[in-house]
Structures are given as structure tokens and as C-alpha cells.
Amino acid sequence: MLTADAESEGLDRDFWQQEAQQLHWQHPFEQVVEFVESGPRRRWFSEGKTNLCFNALDRHLALRADRCAIIHRDFCGETHQLSYRELWQQVNALSSLMTEWGIRQGDRVLIALPMTPLAAVAMLACARLGAIHVVVYSSITSEALAQRIQACTPALFLHHSDSRGRESLPTIPSTAENMRVVDTASAAYVQQLALHMDRHVPCVWLSSSEPSHILFTSGTSGVPKGIVRDTGGYAVALLASLRHLFHLADDEVFFTSADVGWVTGHSYGIYAPLLAGLTTVMCESSAVNAPGQNWWHMVAELGITRMLTIAGAIRLARRQGPPRASLTSLRTLYLAGEPLDESTETWVRDVMAVSCENHYWQTESGWPLLAGQGTKLSAVFSRSVEVINPLNGEASPEGETGMLIIKNTLGPGAMLTLWQDDTQHDQRYWLQHRGQWCYATHDCAIKQDSVIVIQGRMDDVINIGGKRLATAEVENALSGLPGMVEVVANRTPHPLLGEMVALFVVTEALTSTQQALLKQEIRKRLVERCGRHALPRRIHFRYQLPKTFSGKFLRRMLLD
Ligand code: PRX
């Protein structure tokens, strides 16, 4: 049974009641937050009805129709702009076409598009119709794509067969049951869309806690988990974060470097800036848009005022020396997604001469949980956090490593549940601690003088330049390779990416030539099945691997 105190810890109902007024509600909400069946799941702003697309576009038309909504830096380095009115028109056209295709509220729409405004248009068209978007990284591997199709059974799959500088494109499955596959690079699509250009499609008003999207992310099981996010809570949280954490003014040009297939791309590449009526920069990754001088010239040319990226990108950029373009427009650089090292932070402050904030969060939380300068972080938005010993649940003494937990609630905008798996959601992420639900971040942290320092994942997930990859995913991908008896994937430090994969492989009796061939096969298989970021930094051949009595690999021993 939860006590009344426990129930309200880390939760400021009055604050969220106020923040929710920033949003247009077609029907007002009655309760700020409520428990679902006294378990760890929450519903935010229940009984309220709203629509993400209406809030991101329609309500800006009266005052900001001509304002630039998206600046698109294409893969050739050319710049294009789209006003709020133009974006609204394109979203309406696609919504109308999608309606003709039979897409309805609750249908899943899988989106694998390059970082062009079309990706934003597709997401917003789904939001308009109440369809659930499932955006994946546009150069996702064929394996990962097939897994996501199987998991979320989409009614529609939007992809773009023109590579636009992308290294590899997945094989498009043509046979998934009841799934319409549309190539947005095809003449047929362009012609069909043209017929819908002047249509206006009314927004479908959704209950606040109805899902807006699913995002797949890596977890220990090796099978990516579908993080399900709501509608109203997400919009309120993002707007509140821009006001109170990012302290944004009305004239901001916001550049989030992440692809829309990741949570940062969803939250701060698309939704947050558009909900606030600001300008967002969408940049297709290519040689001419790579971190470094290209970025700094882009900041100067586009007048970017805030930028959100990962520390690894700054480490890459730093190799090209001090910026050779004026960064005077840049008010703050936000770093999130991996541990921030002191030397990168110092470089941003001293060489870029830009203020730098470190944000800690997860795909699961949807927006920042902790924030601060350098590595010293504190909980934001009255969240209540603790570092505990995961073995006995007791608070870890100051200065001792434990697991970071968030008490009671992650706040609005966090995951509702896992796609079709409430049980895994409840059991994997939530524990009962002194009569209170606590969210297990699965990150190691130290508490010292009331600040938190994040040390990295405590589960078997490797963080490669901000991309999560489970050791089990790597091991599964390699299973059955001829000549290989056993394989264990582990993390190894990397100066630019933070971490990379290291492999420990037990083989049959192989000659050195056969071993060299096996290494090639391993690399090829990993790129095919997991993506380029899974390429191992090291492959060690071993006669045997250390295991527990129950046969579990001792990863920590291998790490040493
Ligand atoms: O281990 C933490 C690390 O990235 C994980 C979440 O990754 P993802 O789900 O891809 O979401 C990224 C959202 C920005 C966390 O469990 N992480 C994230 N931010 C930080 C971090 N580690 C240290 N410092 C951070 N600021």
C-alpha cells in the first residue's frame, strides 16, 4: 500500500496544473495525474483531450504563419526554409492522403525517412490523425527493420529509396501482412500527394494519455523495447522544459543534431521547438554537414541560438581545431546522451566560448531528468532521486557507487508502458522501496554533496556515441557463424565515441588465416544486422571464457 507522502513525493501537482495551461485543450483535463490500477504506471491530465499537431501547427497560424518553422540543411549543404503555414499545408496534404489510404486513429505508421522536412511532416500527419508513429533511424539495418515491423504491425510504412548520401538502406519488406509500403521518392507518391495539396483535415482530439508514438530502444534482453509515449503529458513536459530548463526566448533557432529516429530528435528536433512556435534546424548527415568546421559555419550562417548534441560529436569537432566561424549567435550548447568528460566541457567553455549544460535523460523519460554544469547534476522539476545499493535497496553512502533511482514518477512525458508488455515495463523498470514505487534507471551514479555524478550503464547496454546497443543484440547477431563456438560482447572505452564493442570469441581449431577471415565475417555480420556503430574496436580470441557456476558469462572479469 502506498502512503500519501510517498504518493506525492517528487510530484508538484500545482506546478503541472499551471504548465498545462500552455497547451490548447479541446476538452479540459480533470486530474493532473492518476495511478493506473495502483501499479507504477501513470496517466497525466486525464479526461483532457488535445492534439499534438494542432498545438505544434494550427494554433500558431494566427500569429506566426509566416515564421520559419524548419530550416533544412540538405546533404549537399544547401539550405531550405519552410514557414509554419507551408508546413501546415504539407501536413494537411499528407494527412488527407493517409486518410484515403485508410489510416485511422491508433494505427501504427512506420517511418524511415532521411532528415528532411518530410520526416517532420509524416510525424505531424500521424499526430493529426491520432495514428501512432514509429520512427526509425533512416539507415536502419534490414534485420532491425524486420523486427520492428513484426513488433508493432504497422498499417503503413513510409520510406525513401533515394539514398541522399546515406551509406546503406535497408531491404524493404514487401510482404508484411496488411502493411502498405510507400516509397516517398517515387513519382507515384508525388503525383498522389499533389491531388491532396489544398485539403484541410480536422485534427482528431485524443485523450491525453492516448499513445502518440513508439520508439524502439535497446535493453538487456537483446530484443529492442517499444517505448510508448502519451500525447498530453508529452506536450506539457516539453513546453515546460523549454521555459524552465532551457530558458528559451521567442526568437530561438534550435539545432538538435540527432536523427529523428532517436528520442532527442523527437523531443527537441521536432516537437518541443514546434510546440513553442520556434525555428528548428533539420540537418541531413553527410560529409559536408559533419561535426567540426561545417557545423560552426552553419551556426554562423543560420544564426543558430541553441544547440543540442552529444559529447562525442564535440570530441570529433575538436579534432579540427578552434571554430573558424563566429559563434556569437550561440547562447547555449546542451550535451546529453553520454557521460561528459571534463576536457570536452572545458573546450566548449574556453575555446568555443559558449555556455555548456549537461542534461541526463533516457528514451524512457523523453526529456531531461537531471541537469547541471560539468559532471555535477541535480534533479530537475522537483523530481526526487536517490542512489541505492541495487542488492539490498538501501541508500548508498555519499561517494559510493550505486544505482540511480527516481522516486514515485518520472513526470509527464515519460513512457506510458512498453508496447504490448505492461508486465515487462512494471517489472524491469519499477521497484518498491519503502512503500513507494521507484524507477530504476539502470545507470551507476555517485551522490556527493547533494549532486549526482553519472558513471554509465550498469546493465549490459553499451553506449556508442549516444547510441544504445545491448551486448545480447551483438551476441545474437553473431550466433551461428561458422568456426565460432562462443562469443561474449563487452564494452571498451573509446576516446571519441565514449564506448565501443569489444568481442571475446572462442573458436574451433582455426589457422591464423581462418581467424583473420572470421574477423572479417564478424565485422560484416555486425554491420548488416546491427549497424556500423556495432563494429567492434577489438576482437580477442580465447580458448575459454570465464563463467559462473550457473554458466553465465562473467563480463566484469573480461572487462578487467
Ligand atoms: O546511460 C545513460 C546515458 O544514456 C542512456 C540513455 O540513452 P538513450 O535512451 O539513447 O537516451 C538519450 C537521451 C539523451 C542513459 O541511461 N546518458 C544520457 N545522458 C547522459 C548519460 N550519461 C551520462 N551523462 C549524461 N548527461
Side-chain angles (χ1 to χ4, degrees):
M1 191 61 192
L2 298 168
T3 62
D5 276 356
E7 203 188 311
S8 57
E9 192 172 4
L11 180 63
D12 187 342
R13 281 190 167 78
D14 292 345
F15 173 81
W16 289 115
Q17 170 84 31
Q18 277 299 318
E19 290 306 308
Q21 307 313 319
Q22 301 300 317
L23 206 67
H24 169 86
W25 295 94
Q26 186 67 7
H27 184 276
F29 58 90
E30 283 172 15
Q31 275 200 59
V32 170
V33 61
E34 60 179 6
F35 283 80
V36 179
E37 298 153 7
S38 78
R41 278 167 274 132
R42 304 282 193 278
R43 268 191 219 110
W44 286 82
F45 310 113
S46 39
E47 308 303 324
K49 282 189 185 280
T50 188
N51 181 288
L52 276 174
C53 182
F54 183 89
N55 280 282
L57 297 180
D58 300 54
R59 70 175 176 144
H60 299 317
L61 292 182
L63 296 176
R64 296 190 178 94
D66 295 319
R67 177 160 188 186
C68 176
I70 298 178
I71 301 179
H72 173 215
R73 186 72 148 200
D74 73 18
F75 70 106
C76 303
E78 301 288 319
T79 301
H80 315 267
Q81 299 208 355
L82 210 64
S83 70
Y84 272 89
R85 182 187 290 105
E86 288 164 329
L87 183 57
W88 180 85
Q89 282 165 342
Q90 293 195 13
V91 169
N92 271 280
L94 183 55
S95 304
S96 171
L97 180 54
M98 280 166 54
T99 307
E100 190 178 282
W101 288 334
I103 302 303
R104 301 275 176 275
Q105 180 177 347
D107 285 346
R108 272 80 58 210
V109 176
L110 187 63
I111 298 173
L113 295 174
M115 277 292 280
T116 65
L118 179 59
V121 168
M123 289 165 76
L124 290 163
C126 289
R128 195 164 193 91
L129 300 177
I132 300 170
H133 57 68
V134 188
V135 185
V136 295
Y137 184 48
S138 60
S139 52
I140 187 172
T141 64
S142 308
E143 299 271 324
L145 181 64
Q147 182 276 331
R148 279 138 179 87
I149 291 172
Q150 196 188 8
C152 71
T153 54
L156 173 64
F157 174 32
L158 297 173
H159 72 104
H160 197 82
S161 64
D162 179 355
S163 77
R164 299 189 65 91
R166 291 171 288 171
E167 270 176 26
S168 57
L169 293 183
T171 312
I172 303 301
S174 52
T175 52
E177 214 180 318
N178 301 325
M179 181 177 82
R180 180 188 286 268
V181 177
V182 175
D183 179 2
T184 58
S186 68
Y189 167 78
V190 174
Q191 279 162 14
Q192 272 183 300
L193 188 67
L195 300 175
H196 294 261
M197 231 38 212
D198 293 322
R199 305 280 170 82
H200 172 219
V201 178
C203 291
V204 172
W205 300 108
L206 297 181
S207 293
S208 174
S209 58
E210 264 173 274
S212 60
H213 66 270
I214 303 171
L215 250 175
F216 282 91
T217 188
S218 290
T220 34
S221 64
V223 180
K225 299 185 296 269
I227 306 290
V228 183
R229 194 143 5 246
D230 74 351
T231 298
Y234 186 46
V236 172
L238 291 180
L239 281 173
S241 74
L242 291 193
R243 270 157 68 91
H244 302 286
L245 179 63
F246 293 77
H247 301 290
L248 294 199
D250 202 33
D251 63 346
E252 308 278 357
V253 179
F254 204 102
F255 170 40
T256 298
S257 68
D259 186 274
V260 279
W262 275 294
V263 70
T264 28
H266 274 58
S267 294
Y268 295 101
I270 307 291
Y271 281 116
L274 296 180
L275 285 166
L278 306 174
T279 301
T280 188
V281 176
M282 293 183 78
C283 179
E284 287 185 83
S285 81
S286 71
V288 294
N289 290 332
Q293 301 306 337
N294 291 323
W295 273 11
W296 313 138
H297 285 296
M298 189 165 84
V299 166
E301 191 188 317
L302 307 182
I304 290 170
T305 59
R306 315 271 178 163
M307 188 169 159
L308 167 53
T309 189
I310 55 171
I314 300 300
R315 287 193 288 270
L316 260 182
R318 204 179 143 180
R319 296 204 299 191
Q320 297 181 9
R324 292 196 292 273
S326 163
L327 300 184
T328 46
S329 65
L330 196 56
R331 297 168 188 160
T332 319
L333 177 73
Y334 307 98
L335 295 173
E338 57 170 336
L340 172 58
D341 54 286
E342 208 182 305
S343 117
T344 303
E345 203 236 346
T346 311
W347 191 80
V348 174
R349 230 191 15 239
D350 297 350
V351 180
M352 287 177 67
V354 170
S355 92
C356 175
E357 281 177 28
N358 185 4
H359 289 173
Y360 163 86
W361 49 296
Q362 302 181 323
T363 308
E364 289 84 344
S365 71
W367 60 291
L369 294 166
L370 310 179
Q373 304 289 319
T375 53
K376 297 188 173 65
L377 304 176
S378 308
V380 289
F381 293 87
S382 68
R383 290 192 184 92
S384 175
V385 300
E386 189 59 83
V387 175
I388 62 161
N389 177 340
L391 297 177
N392 59 20
E394 292 304 317
S396 299
E398 287 252 323
E400 242 176 59
T401 301
M403 177 170 69
L404 179 72
I405 58 163
I406 318 278
K407 293 182 188 167
N408 187 23
T409 171
L410 289 176
M415 70 177 154
L416 280 178
T417 186
L418 293 179
W419 178 245
Q420 293 185 327
D421 203 347
D422 291 342
T423 310
Q424 209 205 138
H425 166 271
D426 296 0
Q427 292 178 355
R428 176 171 157 71
Y429 287 107
W430 294 89
L431 36 108
Q432 281 270 350
H433 183 58
R434 303 213 169 109
Q436 186 177 40
W437 285 112
C438 291
Y439 172 83
T441 61
H442 297 280
D443 276 313
C444 292
I446 294 181
K447 195 172 178 182
Q448 189 107 50
D449 303 329
S450 69
V451 295
I452 306 276
V453 176
I454 303 288
Q455 297 182 304
R457 303 288 302 182
M458 59 188 309
D459 55 18
D460 299 331
V461 176
I462 310 173
N463 189 331
I464 306 159
K467 289 185 200 134
R468 278 162 63 167
L469 182 69
T471 52
E473 273 174 86
V474 175
E475 289 160 11
N476 291 345
L478 293 176
S479 80
L481 265 189
M484 197 172 76
V485 177
E486 274 187 322
V487 61
V488 172
N490 224 328
R491 55 169 69 94
T492 185
H494 184 269
L496 288 176
L497 298 170
E499 292 179 346
M500 277 185 85
V501 173
L503 292 179
F504 295 85
V505 184
V506 178
T507 64
E508 294 163 1
L510 298 183
T511 62
S512 52
T513 320
Q514 287 170 320
Q515 278 196 348
L517 278 175
L518 180 60
K519 276 191 181 179
Q520 275 178 21
E521 281 304 307
I522 288 173
R523 294 203 164 92
K524 188 163 153 255
R525 175 80 76 92
L526 286 178
V527 172
E528 271 167 21
R529 301 208 175 168
C530 303
R532 287 196 69 77
H533 61 291
L535 268 176
R537 183 163 200 219
R538 299 183 206 293
I539 302 177
H540 306 278
F541 288 107
R542 292 279 187 273
Y543 289 112
Q544 58 179 31
L545 297 171
K547 288 184 190 172
T548 62
F549 286 117
S550 59
K552 223 174 170 318
F553 291 119
L554 285 165
R555 285 178 208 281
R556 288 222 169 266
M557 273 181 72
L558 285 169
L559 214 58
D560 295 339

